[in-house]
Amino acid sequence: MEKRVDDARGRLTKDGIRIYDSADFAGMHAAGRVAADILDKMAAHVFPGQTTGEIDRIITDLVNEAGVISATIGYKGYQHASCISVNHVVCHGIPGPKQLKDGDILNIDVTVIVDGWFGDSSRMYVAGKLGRKAERLIQVTHDALMKGIEVVRPGKTFGDIGHAIQAYVEAHRMSVVRDFCGHGLGRVFHAAPNVLHYGRPGTGAVLEEGMFFTIEPMVNLGRPETKTLADDWTAVTRDKSLSAQFEHSIGVTKDGCEIFTLSPAGRFHPTYDAD
Ligand code: MF3
Ligand code: CO
Ligand code: CO
């Protein structure tokens, strides 16, 4: 008997990128909404004195209450329902007992699996009062993600997306991290292509309707280089400069794209502007 592999739906392009059906968009919207809902709820739990471990515990509870699965617990040995990256941590910060201080900025990244579909999103938060430089960094990073998303439509290339992000960030005298990228997703967490947040127009694979992927630029106030700490996860800026990141999961449509991880409460935009 032939066993149907769970992610073997649609077809693959010559670049190995899976093309999903129009019916699959509903599954991604459901998964993206759960991730976005959890991120919406976290704004109230970020304050000076709070620990990142406690934030992750709350996220774990919300994942369980929603009756869905955390994609990160058990992923390559990772043991938490979120990555929480504070100040000069670029990504993959491990939640722990360290208390947030007034003015700390942090990215919370949550990925859930809902009926087999992956929803992956991250946003920035601030503990207490936001400093001027951090505010600028967060705004530019958010807007860079949106510049990348604006490019997305069939016929454009992944290089077009990367170029739009890089040009915007560098025009603001900040730098794009090269060591990490976005990724295809759908019935799997990380699939082709690598979605680079820098690049040249017209290069890379051509976008087609039915592609699902993340865009998740990491932007540094200083230089782009990173290093990974001895825990094998935590990536930090080499020059200790502040870093920010925003991530959406999206799907390419006939004439643009749909964002799966939009904030139901309108809080995706930097939280200091939300309420
Ligand atoms: N959510 C991250 C991403 O955007 C991946 C986290 S993997 C983990 O791709 F194991 F560190 F959680
Ligand atoms: Co991702
Ligand atoms: Co993520």
Side-chain angles (χ1 to χ4, degrees):
M1 259 252 275
E2 198 187 325
K3 187 166 174 285
R4 188 163 188 272
V5 178
D6 200 30
D7 71 331
R9 47 181 74 207
R11 64 180 173 88
L12 291 180
T13 67
K14 67 172 169 53
D15 300 294
I17 303 170
R18 192 164 298 283
I19 303 298
Y20 289 92
D21 296 337
S22 53
D24 297 334
F25 278 73
M28 289 299 284
H29 273 292
R33 182 159 188 111
V34 172
D37 236 328
I38 291 172
L39 290 176
D40 279 353
K41 293 191 172 118
M42 297 328 293
H45 299 288
V46 174
F47 46 81
Q50 173 70 299
T51 69
T52 56
E54 175 63 11
I55 295 170
D56 183 72
R57 194 195 60 70
I58 296 165
I59 292 170
T60 307
D61 285 350
L62 291 171
V63 168
N64 292 334
E65 277 164 32
V68 303
I69 297 169
S70 164
T72 55
I73 297 175
Y75 177 78
K76 295 186 176 170
Y78 195 78
Q79 292 176 1
H80 306 274
S82 63
C83 297
I84 303 183
S85 303
V86 182
N87 293 339
H88 74 298
V89 179
V90 172
C91 63
H92 301 163
I94 301 176
K98 210 173 149 205
Q99 289 188 347
L100 296 172
K101 299 185 307 301
D102 187 46
D104 279 351
I105 61 166
L106 50 149
N107 174 278
I108 304 180
D109 190 338
V110 171
T111 312
V112 292
I113 312 172
V114 179
D115 294 332
W117 297 100
F118 284 70
D120 185 5
S121 185
S122 80
R123 314 176 189 163
M124 296 303 293
Y125 300 80
V126 58
K129 191 172 160 5
L130 186 59
R132 257 226 223 103
K133 279 187 183 156
E135 175 169 4
R136 245 188 101 237
L137 171 67
I138 289 172
Q139 188 69 51
V140 167
T141 308
H142 172 274
D143 294 350
L145 166 60
M146 293 307 168
K147 293 280 176 200
I149 289 175
E150 274 170 28
V151 167
V152 175
R153 60 185 298 149
K156 294 287 187 178
T157 71
F158 282 94
D160 293 332
I161 298 174
H163 176 74
I165 293 168
Q166 181 182 14
Y168 187 79
V169 168
E170 292 178 355
H172 289 83
R173 298 243 160 268
M174 299 178 193
S175 67
V176 173
V177 169
R178 313 292 205 265
D179 299 340
F180 300 92
C181 57
H183 49 93
L185 85 174
R187 303 292 288 178
V188 290
F189 197 170
H190 293 111
N194 287 333
V195 180
L196 307 183
H197 304 112
Y198 59 94
R200 280 180 297 128
T203 63
V206 178
L207 302 186
E208 289 182 41
E209 183 179 358
M211 288 180 177
F212 297 162
F213 55 87
T214 73
I215 306 180
E216 48 182 297
M218 285 138 276
V219 175
N220 299 346
L221 272 184
R223 293 193 49 83
E225 292 81 10
T226 73
K227 69 174 180 195
T228 301
L229 301 186
D231 61 24
D232 271 347
W233 284 104
T234 313
V236 300
T237 54
R238 276 192 178 271
D239 64 4
K240 304 265 174 50
S241 67
L242 279 184
S243 187
Q245 178 179 29
F246 284 86
E247 174 177 26
H248 268 317
S249 297
I250 69 175
V252 183
T253 60
K254 201 162 131 310
D255 51 13
C257 73
E258 286 177 15
I259 302 176
F260 300 130
T261 44
L262 282 176
S263 164
R267 287 193 187 148
F268 185 79
H269 189 269
T271 48
Y272 53 88
D273 268 349
D275 294 327

